Amino acid sequence: MSTEHSQWSLLSQRRFAPFFLTQFCGAANDNIFKFAFTLLVTYHAAEINAANPALVVNLIAALFVLPFVLFSATSGQLSDRYGVTQVMRLVKVLEVAFMLVGAVGFISKNLPLLLVTTFLMGLHSTLFGPAKFAYLPQHLRPDEIVGGNGLVEMGTFVAILLGTMGAGFLMKSEPGAAATGVTLAAATTLVVAFVGLAASLMIPKTAPVDGALKINWNPFSETWRNLKLAHKDIVVFRSLLGISWLWFFGATFLTQFSVFSKDVLGGNEGVVTLLLAVFSIGIGVGSVLCERLSGRMVEIGLVPFGSIGMSVFAIDLYFASRGLAPVGQVGVGAFLANSAHWRVIIDLFLLSMFAGFYSVPLYALIQTRGEATHRSRIIAANNILNALFMVVSAGMGAVLLGKLGFTIPQLFLVTGLLNALVAAYIFLLVPEFLLRFIAWILVHTIYRVKKEDTDRIPATGAALLTANHVSFVDAVVLMAISPRPIRFVMDRNIFRIPFLSWFFRTAKAIPICSAKQDPEVYQRAFDEVSRELRDGELVLIFPEGAITHDGEMGPFKGGVMKILERDPVPVVPIALRGFWGSFFSRKDGPAMSAPLRRGFNTKVGIAVGLPVQPDAVSPEGLRDTTLALRGDWK
């Protein structure tokens, strides 16, 4: 991948770099403040008049999350009404004001004032969240969305890590009394807030998507309305649930790190920081790898892949940690010297890396498929669900660890098993995730696909795609390289083949046969094609009408013209290259009747031609174009 097309190149561009720094500073400041406050309460309770430190620590967490429940609906409206850039700048101004309040609270060790600031910083994040995710699709190209989201996810978790570690360093720097530590914490949060404000002023201005929107200040009715807006597209809504489940999953692990380190691993505070670092780095690595694994498109096939890894390594973490016998509280060096602990570290890293594979495509899908006029409000609905799922996570942990007497490794095991069940439920409800996963596996194991001009497949609007027919998995491979779902018109005999029948029925392929064989099936197929095109979808037809028996391209039949008579849409010709002779082709006998002829990772190609306007289409012309695109590579 060339440097100019790498996701990292976004960090040098004005449309992304100031935005990235703004959100990075905000995430870092949230965690510097929260963790410094938590340490102050934990280790200097008397100086801050905290009679019950444990209660105050839980109150800090609750106060930070509360604004997400109360004000997310309002924040989404503000972003859609006034523009995301304007909202981000306002939020950064408020952050400076909030940190001034927090600085007074730190220096005076005023517990109520610091609790108020905690709530205000939660409000800061609530207002910023919808604007942050709505900004990306307005300023990035479609092929940059996944990479941009990967960088944002990576940056967020790195900021969380650095903020938490920075707070620990600042609060440890004071000798005895907390005076030096709180002064440094107050100064640092103010500096970071001013840096974020300066960066926000360089973010390109963004026009409101709905300048006439009338703000509904009632958070309850607006929350319900936002959830209904998100529910209009069931794939988007289930994606919101999928992301919220990730927050449930992640919160379950992150909340237990300190006790897990002390009671199960026998580590001190440094080991807690190590676990957090491993988890954050894993998320970051998974997030930035998504662009390469997805081929620069929104590949929701990575979601099941990520979910499988999350369950596998969460379950293995249980087995890796259940037999450990901690002795005292060792530091990082002694902890890493024990070979048994490396399995725990590897499990945590891989678990979080797969969580990155899981989350980035879901965020990208919401941004690209959610209606632009209320994208921020849909993201606000997501934030509300996230907060609720985190509350449920805390409740589950309290019940299992407190009332039922589970150990922390057992809690991790339960979470891993629940993740598998939730994932299976979501993927059965929305088969598109599972179908894309199967297609993604196919093109990353059996085939190595060289793509040429696949950006010519329309990202929006109705179009008819045509392709030569070489093997039984042509449709699967085409599904994997398309930026959006395709409805395939297929020979109904393929629906009788085991597994392929299930796959294509689940993909809602349209069965067809000749008018002589069954006039009713023939007509029903063209009626369904017409409905899909009128709904603005992509439909693909194999004009040869059958899979080739000799590797040569047969004549294109008149089905294309029959479709265009009813719905004159652009036609996009596609050529499949190199599939002849593969396991799924009919070379040297029936397909799929012998071991893989060319092994795994076979090089094949897909070339996409320029769209042809309907009045310029003919079967012969489409065949000639497809033949030219294919060339001699059958």
Side-chain angles (χ1 to χ4, degrees):
M1 185 178 296
S2 61
T3 303
E4 63 269 24
H5 295 301
S6 167
Q7 65 196 108
W8 300 103
S9 65
L10 291 172
L11 294 173
S12 64
Q13 299 177 32
R14 183 169 178 260
R15 61 197 173 106
F16 186 82
F19 157 77
F20 179 85
L21 180 58
T22 301
Q23 69 88 28
F24 184 92
C25 288
N29 226 13
D30 283 342
N31 288 276
I32 294 171
F33 177 84
K34 281 194 302 177
F35 198 54
F37 184 19
T38 300
L39 292 175
L40 182 63
V41 169
T42 303
Y43 294 101
H44 303 281
E47 295 181 49
I48 201 169
N49 296 320
N52 189 336
L55 177 62
V56 176
V57 167
N58 282 284
L59 184 58
I60 291 170
L63 284 173
F64 189 81
V65 172
L66 183 59
F68 285 91
V69 178
L70 295 178
F71 303 116
S72 285
T74 304
S75 67
Q77 293 179 88
L78 293 173
S79 291
D80 284 341
R81 170 66 178 83
Y82 296 106
V84 293
T85 302
Q86 292 83 328
V87 169
M88 286 191 282
R89 290 173 180 170
L90 171 64
V91 170
K92 294 295 108 176
V93 171
L94 291 175
E95 182 184 356
V96 171
F98 297 163
M99 287 298 90
L100 285 170
V101 176
V104 174
F106 270 133
I107 294 171
S108 63
K109 297 174 192 170
N110 186 312
L111 180 61
L113 203 56
L114 288 171
L115 289 173
V116 168
T117 307
T118 302
F119 178 84
L120 293 176
M121 286 305 288
L123 176 62
H124 151 268
S125 294
T126 300
L127 294 173
F128 192 82
K132 175 175 74 172
F133 285 108
Y135 176 87
L136 293 176
Q138 291 179 266
H139 290 270
L140 300 185
R141 299 191 308 268
D143 64 337
E144 295 174 327
I145 289 290
V146 172
N149 273 283
L151 289 174
V152 169
E153 285 288 284
M154 176 207 69
T156 299
F157 277 90
V158 170
I160 291 171
L161 174 62
L162 293 179
T164 304
M165 293 176 65
F169 173 78
L170 294 170
M171 296 304 293
K172 280 181 68 175
S173 65
E174 37 77 28
T180 305
V182 293
T183 302
L184 288 174
T188 302
T189 54
L190 277 171
V191 168
V192 175
F194 274 110
V195 172
L197 173 60
S200 72
L201 298 177
M202 294 184 283
I203 298 175
K205 191 172 182 180
T206 307
V209 297
D210 189 356
L213 176 66
K214 184 177 180 181
I215 304 294
N216 175 14
W217 297 101
N218 184 325
F220 303 105
S221 63
E222 185 60 25
T223 295
W224 181 247
R225 189 169 75 170
N226 286 355
L227 291 173
K228 289 200 297 183
L229 284 172
H231 197 267
K232 285 184 178 179
D233 187 324
I234 196 63
V235 175
V236 170
F237 185 73
R238 297 266 161 73
S239 297
L240 299 183
L241 294 178
I243 290 172
S244 297
W245 170 255
L246 178 64
W247 282 92
F248 176 102
F249 183 92
T252 301
F253 282 84
L254 289 170
T255 303
Q256 307 306 326
F257 274 178
S258 58
V259 181
F260 179 60
S261 172
K262 176 177 176 290
D263 294 345
V264 179
L265 303 179
N268 63 11
E269 295 91 338
V271 175
V272 178
T273 303
L274 174 65
L275 298 182
L276 177 62
V278 169
F279 193 89
S280 300
I281 293 170
I283 287 275
V285 170
S287 297
V288 296
L289 282 178
C290 278
E291 184 189 51
R292 183 175 294 274
L293 292 174
S294 65
R296 299 175 63 83
M297 58 187 262
V298 180
E299 180 49 83
I300 61 175
L302 286 176
V303 177
F305 182 56
S307 184
I308 290 169
M310 288 161 60
S311 282
V312 167
F313 293 107
I315 293 169
D316 192 68
L317 183 60
Y318 160 75
F319 290 105
S321 57
R322 66 173 182 161
L324 299 176
V327 180
Q329 294 182 33
V330 301
V332 173
F335 176 81
L336 294 176
N338 186 338
S339 59
H341 292 155
W342 279 96
R343 183 176 172 187
V344 172
I345 294 295
I346 292 170
D347 279 337
L348 271 179
F349 176 80
L350 292 176
L351 176 155
S352 58
M353 184 181 73
F354 277 90
F357 296 157
Y358 177 96
S359 66
V360 170
L362 288 177
Y363 276 115
L365 183 144
I366 291 169
Q367 291 163 349
T368 54
R369 291 205 197 173
E371 291 186 37
T373 53
H374 50 259
R375 187 180 286 127
S376 295
R377 280 167 282 171
I378 291 176
I379 296 169
N382 174 62
N383 290 344
I384 296 166
L385 290 172
N386 292 349
L388 294 175
F389 272 63
M390 289 170 68
V391 170
V392 174
S393 166
M396 184 188 79
V399 170
L400 293 183
L401 296 174
K403 292 187 176 296
L404 300 183
F406 279 46
T407 65
I408 290 178
Q410 288 172 338
L411 175 63
F412 292 164
L413 174 65
V414 168
T415 306
L417 293 173
L418 278 176
N419 181 69
L421 292 174
V422 169
Y425 177 68
I426 292 176
F427 302 147
L428 289 174
L429 284 177
V430 188
E432 186 183 344
F433 287 102
L434 190 57
L435 298 177
R436 291 295 296 243
F437 174 56
I438 294 171
W440 183 82
I441 289 290
L442 177 69
V443 300
H444 285 81
T445 54
I446 297 178
Y447 294 129
R448 177 163 47 95
V449 182
K450 180 182 178 182
K451 296 181 284 188
E452 185 176 312
D453 297 323
T454 52
D455 57 342
R456 291 173 174 172
I457 298 175
T460 59
L464 180 64
L465 313 181
T466 64
N468 54 317
H469 211 357
V470 189
S471 76
F472 282 91
V473 293
D474 294 346
V476 182
V477 178
L478 289 167
M479 177 189 299
I481 63 96
S482 172
R484 46 192 284 230
I486 301 174
R487 293 296 302 275
F488 294 91
V489 181
M490 306 190 68
D491 186 339
R492 70 171 179 177
N493 291 324
I494 292 179
F495 285 78
R496 299 169 183 168
I497 300 173
F499 179 72
L500 289 181
S501 172
W502 170 84
F503 184 90
F504 290 121
R505 288 182 191 279
T506 305
K508 298 180 180 179
I510 301 169
I512 195 170
C513 63
S514 70
K516 291 182 180 179
Q517 289 177 312
D518 193 326
E520 185 178 344
V521 171
Y522 177 80
Q523 186 57 47
R524 187 164 58 241
F526 284 101
D527 290 341
E528 195 164 348
V529 167
S530 181
R531 280 195 298 272
E532 292 295 326
L533 292 174
R534 291 178 185 181
D535 286 340
E537 303 295 336
L538 292 178
V539 175
L540 186 141
I541 188 170
F542 297 101
E544 294 166 275
I547 297 173
T548 180
H549 285 269
D550 56 9
E552 299 300 328
M553 197 180 300
F556 280 18
K557 299 179 179 178
V560 172
M561 305 310 296
K562 183 176 176 66
I563 291 171
L564 295 179
E565 285 176 7
R566 295 177 64 174
D567 300 283
V569 298
V571 178
V572 182
I574 301 174
L576 299 170
R577 302 165 163 174
F579 288 83
W580 180 244
S582 71
F583 174 69
F584 300 100
S585 72
R586 288 170 167 163
K587 185 178 182 181
D588 302 327
M592 299 173 287
S593 60
L596 290 175
R597 297 186 179 98
R598 294 186 292 182
F600 290 92
N601 208 29
T602 300
K603 185 177 180 180
V604 295
I606 295 177
V608 182
L610 291 168
V612 182
Q613 293 307 308
D615 56 359
V617 173
S618 69
E620 297 79 12
L622 276 179
R623 183 184 182 280
D624 290 343
T625 300
T626 307
L627 194 57
L629 288 169
R630 189 199 71 174
D632 296 328
W633 191 13
K634 297 181 181 178

